[in-house]
Amino acid sequence: MSRIAATFERLKSEGRKALIPFVTAGDPRPDVTLPLMHALVEQGANIIELGMPFSDPMADGPAIQRANERALANGMSLRKTLDIVAEFRKTNQDTPVVLMGYLNPVEWMGYETFVKAAHEAGVDGLLMVDMPPEEGGGIVDYAKAVGLDLIYLVTPTTTNERFEIICKRSTGWIYYVSLKGITGANTLNVDEVAERMRWIEQHTDIPVCVGFGIRDGETAARVASVCSGVIVGSVLVNAIEKLESESAIEISSQVSKLLGDMRTAMDRA
Amino acid sequence: MTTITEDYHAHPDATGHFGPYGGRFASETLMDALDELSAMYTKLKDDPDFRQQFDKDLAHYVGRPSPLYLAERLTKNWGGADIYLKREDLNHTGAHKINNTIGQALLAKYSGKPRVIAETGAGQHGVATATVAARLGLKCVVYMGAEDVERQKLNVYRMRLLGAEVVSVTSGSRTLKDAMNEAMRDWVTNVDDTYYIIGTVAGPHPYPTLVRDFNSIIGREARRQILEQTGELPDALVACVGGGSNAIGLFWEFLNDKGVEIYGVEAGGHGLDGDDHAAPLSKGRPGVLHGNRTYIMANDDGQISATHSVSAGLDYPGVGPEHAWLKDSNRAKYVAITDDEALDAFRELTRTEGIMPALESAHAVAYAKKLAKQLGKGKRIIVNLSGRGDKDVHTVAALDGLSI
Ligand SMILES: Cc1ncc(COP(=O)(O)O)c(C=O)c1O
């Protein structure tokens, strides 16, 4: 069983929901990411979503745009992102790592080379923001061959027909984007999400996790109650920005504490 | 022996691919809107009412057909092939960009969405969008890189006079690619009530196709005009390539005329040896940017490069996917002209013919000068004069050390 499937299975048996932090690899500096990943796990992260920095993050709001800019300015690259995952795996063999990003750096490296390198580094899944299932043909066979999950997005504008296609192509989990907009938007409507989730869960057995707009323990707990897990991004990235000039240890401890508060709220609910 | 001849009009396929290029590499939130747009366009493009309305607007609002002008004095000075200028600079608002915005404004109207957005580099597409929005009473927001806002002040003020909101984009390299990122972000957020008028043959399917179709009027007219004036097809076509809309607009009608050579001219900036240019077809590789697969400029890690050109409208690290396809299939050749060569051509055309070209178009003129000598007397070259130079007077004056 894949690390991702095992994680959801275990959480289900414990009656808990997945808490999935998103941070951009190399933000604000490459040396921060590894200790930050370990600290996030200590504070209750079940899966880590690691952003592969890109110069033109079209689906992201200002906070994550700046995170990408900081990481790139400090020498981050796709290769170095994979190196960090490989380091992380040396001491953590249980927590799944999913890479999230935009297609061009991956195309540039070549699908076959990338998938092989990602698998060897210990990456479990891949979520490409600008690769809908229709355009995933170039990577799917390589991913299948090594058991790398391909996670696709579903949004409030996804039609039922598209939803069926996406379910067929998705492995690992489905990422439900809670709102029409970019990361960092502030318009999450929990009731709307709950209603949509009821429909979605009737149509698929794959775990569905919800991201975009989750800001604090309360929203995390409320959203988690209607799905399999939540993804938390901009809140953490905003905190990293504020702590930019602090040491790696300090950033890791403060940012992961924010996640810990959400964990507590979710487990209490 | 049978010869298999490629039908260059058979692209893209149903999913928007030109060979390996094009496609729809977009956020999931936009996929349904793109499907709807494709369906609407497929229906309307052959609808007689829609066609009639488009043709009527082009005739009475834009002022088409634009002339095909034999530049005799320039031809004589250059001592080579006859130079015919396709005068898109004479269109309402001063460039070919209006052909596309007229068409897309009609699509916006049919879609019932009350708000349009656009990205712009030189500001010509922004002005053309603000113009059609004013005419149809649509709310209009134009995204423009902060650097372009600075170097194209005249167009910024024109857009504001037309009632558009101009948003200065300060992320990334602060030019056209960043404006396009920001427009995409707006569209993802406001997809229910907003129509995105993309300004060139880039973006996710169906944009490269519909922008091409609306601009293909340029080549349809030019082909008819040259046949009327000379009884023969031209020997070569030359157009500048930013995203590639004026170029494909001229080329499309001639693609299956095998004897016609086709040249797309990219921005060579300070020269192709260094990094300061905007010539993805000449120096880039295939990748994915802004919703399609095409040639792009990026560093070893696949991060998109900051580009340079003296002309804001060519200052873009990608190019329309159909040009990528035409390059690989060898139907068109892509070359580059430096800033200095373009500026020389700007001055030469102005002094010789009394026609002041946009700096973008001046790249095509500069290449035509080289080609005219190669082809020699008696041959015919059509150069797409995609826009007029009023917007660039400020930039040229600054290079002359004047502030006006
Ligand atoms: C006059 C003119 N020509 C050419 C271009 C480049 O665009 P495209 O390559 O899409 O024709 C622009 C863009 O702003 C322009 O204003």
Side-chain angles (χ1 to χ4, degrees):
Chain A
M1 193 188 296
S2 75
R3 259 192 290 262
I4 291 177
T7 299
F8 281 108
E9 195 123 302
R10 181 173 48 75
L11 285 167
K12 197 169 176 194
S13 72
E14 295 167 1
R16 296 162 78 225
K17 300 300 172 74
L19 177 57
I20 309 174
F22 166 91
V23 291
T24 300
D27 174 31
R29 302 179 304 273
D31 68 300
V32 176
T33 305
L34 184 64
L36 177 57
M37 288 169 78
H38 287 304
L40 289 167
V41 173
E42 270 164 40
Q43 291 291 332
N46 305 109
I47 297 174
I48 289 181
E49 217 175 86
L50 200 56
M52 301 178 272
F54 184 49
S55 52
D56 292 76
M58 269 160 292
D60 286 296
I64 295 181
Q65 284 172 46
R66 287 195 299 270
N68 280 275
E69 285 178 10
R70 280 192 296 273
L72 291 173
N74 287 315
M76 203 58 202
S77 66
L78 183 50
R79 288 269 175 208
K80 287 183 190 163
T81 303
L82 296 174
D83 291 345
I84 290 175
V85 179
E87 277 300 311
F88 176 77
R89 276 283 165 263
K90 284 185 182 159
T91 51
N92 182 325
Q93 278 93 50
D94 303 321
T95 310
V97 175
V98 169
L99 296 182
M100 179 165 185
Y102 297 81
L103 205 48
N104 197 57
V106 169
E107 285 240 336
W108 224 247
M109 187 181 280
Y111 288 138
E112 189 174 8
T113 310
F114 169 76
V115 168
K116 193 160 167 278
H119 176 65
E120 277 165 11
V123 172
D124 300 280
L126 193 62
L127 200 175
M128 306 305 304
V129 177
D130 53 356
M131 189 188 77
E134 290 90 333
E135 299 289 359
I139 203 166
V140 66
D141 290 341
Y142 298 123
K144 218 176 246 165
V146 299
L148 189 72
D149 283 331
L150 290 182
I151 293 149
Y152 288 103
L153 301 167
V154 169
T155 72
T157 61
T158 303
T159 58
N160 295 354
E161 290 87 344
R162 287 192 56 76
F163 180 74
E164 273 168 30
I165 299 174
I166 294 169
C167 283
K168 277 197 202 104
R169 306 280 176 88
S170 296
T171 48
W173 87 75
I174 288 172
Y175 188 134
Y176 183 66
V177 177
S178 68
L179 49 84
K180 285 171 222 155
I182 51 181
T183 53
N186 214 355
T187 52
L188 173 69
N189 179 331
V190 180
D191 295 332
E192 241 173 65
V193 172
E195 197 186 315
R196 184 78 172 151
M197 285 309 305
R198 272 196 294 279
W199 186 89
I200 290 177
E201 290 194 328
Q202 280 164 16
H203 291 82
T204 181
D205 295 329
I206 307 176
V208 181
C209 299
V210 178
F212 282 43
I214 293 168
R215 285 180 309 282
D216 49 24
E218 197 217 322
T219 42
R222 285 178 62 206
V223 172
S225 72
V226 299
C227 62
S228 298
V230 293
I231 301 112
V232 183
S234 293
V235 177
L236 306 179
V237 172
N238 280 327
I240 292 174
E241 179 162 58
K242 286 210 191 79
L243 298 163
E244 183 173 356
S245 50
E246 303 289 333
S247 70
I249 308 273
E250 187 63 20
I251 296 175
S252 303
S253 103
Q254 294 213 30
V255 172
S256 62
K257 221 178 125 304
L258 284 174
L259 195 80
D261 293 344
M262 296 193 188
R263 176 86 267 170
T264 311
M266 280 166 64
D267 289 348
R268 202 190 300 124
Chain B
M1 201 180 90
T2 53
T3 41
I4 299 166
T5 47
E6 175 87 52
D7 177 6
Y8 290 97
H9 287 170
H11 302 279
D13 65 13
T15 53
H17 293 88
F18 302 85
Y21 302 109
R24 192 178 274 173
F25 294 85
S27 310
E28 178 58 30
T29 307
L30 297 178
M31 292 301 280
D32 184 48
L34 291 166
D35 274 338
E36 270 178 25
L37 178 59
S38 286
M40 181 172 73
Y41 180 63
T42 306
K43 202 172 103 220
L44 288 177
K45 83 180 163 60
D46 300 318
D47 177 275
D49 286 346
F50 182 83
R51 290 244 53 109
Q52 200 197 7
Q53 175 107 48
F54 180 61
D55 292 344
K56 198 171 115 197
D57 284 352
L58 288 185
H60 302 297
Y61 190 70
V62 174
R64 303 203 72 93
S66 69
L68 183 73
Y69 167 70
L70 172 60
E72 288 185 59
R73 196 145 175 263
L74 193 70
T75 299
K76 190 154 162 275
N77 280 6
W78 287 354
D82 291 341
I83 303 296
Y84 289 83
L85 302 175
K86 181 60 176 162
R87 299 290 309 275
E88 293 299 299
D89 59 314
L90 295 178
N91 293 342
H92 181 42
T93 70
H96 70 290
K97 297 281 180 189
I98 191 92
N99 303 322
N100 168 44
T101 55
I102 290 282
Q104 289 205 58
L106 280 175
L107 293 178
K109 199 172 113 184
Y110 276 83
S111 76
K113 294 182 176 176
R115 179 175 180 268
V116 294
I117 57 171
E119 84 294 337
T120 196
Q124 287 304 111
H125 174 59
V127 167
T129 303
T131 298
V132 295
R135 180 170 176 244
L136 294 177
L138 301 169
K139 189 170 171 358
C140 177
V141 178
V142 178
Y143 292 93
M144 191 166 184
E147 191 178 311
D148 295 334
V149 167
E150 187 48 42
R151 60 180 160 173
Q152 302 286 340
K153 282 187 190 135
L154 178 67
N155 274 343
V156 173
Y157 194 58
R158 281 170 86 192
M159 288 183 264
R160 292 194 170 133
L161 286 174
L162 287 159
E165 181 190 343
V166 180
V167 179
S168 171
V169 178
T170 55
S171 56
S173 63
R174 306 152 70 102
T175 58
L176 181 55
K177 83 173 170 70
D178 311 285
M180 196 145 179
N181 293 337
E182 211 54 40
M184 291 271 184
R185 290 178 187 122
D186 180 314
W187 201 32
V188 167
T189 307
N190 301 299
V191 61
D192 289 337
D193 75 344
T194 298
Y195 181 100
Y196 181 13
I197 302 188
I198 293 187
T200 190
V201 284
H205 176 64
Y207 282 103
T209 304
L210 62 88
V211 177
R212 173 196 75 197
D213 291 353
F214 292 140
N215 268 304
S216 65
I217 183 71
I218 302 172
R220 274 201 302 285
E221 286 176 4
R223 195 171 184 282
R224 197 186 65 228
Q225 289 165 321
I226 195 108
L227 287 172
E228 277 166 14
Q229 292 178 29
T230 72
E232 287 179 76
L233 288 174
D235 296 284
L237 308 174
V238 181
C240 67
V241 178
S245 65
N246 87 88
I248 204 75
L250 176 64
F251 300 167
W252 172 254
E253 191 69 13
F254 295 92
L255 287 178
N256 286 332
D257 295 324
K258 293 296 150 57
V260 180
E261 290 179 24
I262 295 178
Y263 295 91
V265 185
E266 297 192 294
H270 296 149
L272 294 188
D273 294 340
D275 294 327
D276 294 338
H277 57 77
L281 290 165
S282 305
K283 298 292 277 187
R285 327 182 343 203
V288 169
L289 179 66
H290 292 150
N292 65 91
R293 183 181 286 119
T294 186
Y295 280 80
I296 56 185
M297 287 170 53
N299 71 11
D300 291 344
D301 188 37
Q303 309 298 337
I304 309 303
S305 306
T307 50
H308 165 80
S309 169
V310 70
S311 77
L314 303 184
D315 208 349
Y316 180 64
V319 62
E322 191 161 11
H323 288 290
W325 165 245
L326 290 173
K327 172 188 160 73
D328 283 11
S329 58
N330 280 320
R331 177 62 189 101
K333 292 192 188 69
Y334 294 89
V335 296
I337 281 292
T338 64
D339 286 355
D340 287 344
E341 291 171 316
L343 286 160
D344 287 346
F346 172 91
R347 293 177 205 280
E348 189 171 10
L349 184 61
T350 304
R351 288 289 179 94
T352 315
E353 293 285 351
I355 296 172
M356 193 180 292
L359 284 177
E360 290 80 12
S361 323
H363 286 72
V365 176
Y367 188 73
K369 183 173 184 174
K370 298 184 184 182
L371 189 64
K373 293 206 178 87
Q374 279 169 32
L375 293 181
K377 283 200 170 120
K379 302 283 186 176
R380 285 169 300 273
I381 301 174
I382 297 179
V383 181
N384 202 8
L385 212 69
S386 56
R388 59 174 168 252
D390 308 32
K391 69 182 176 58
D392 296 312
V393 169
H394 179 83
T395 302
V396 175
L399 291 169
D400 283 341
L402 298 173
S403 116
I404 52 171

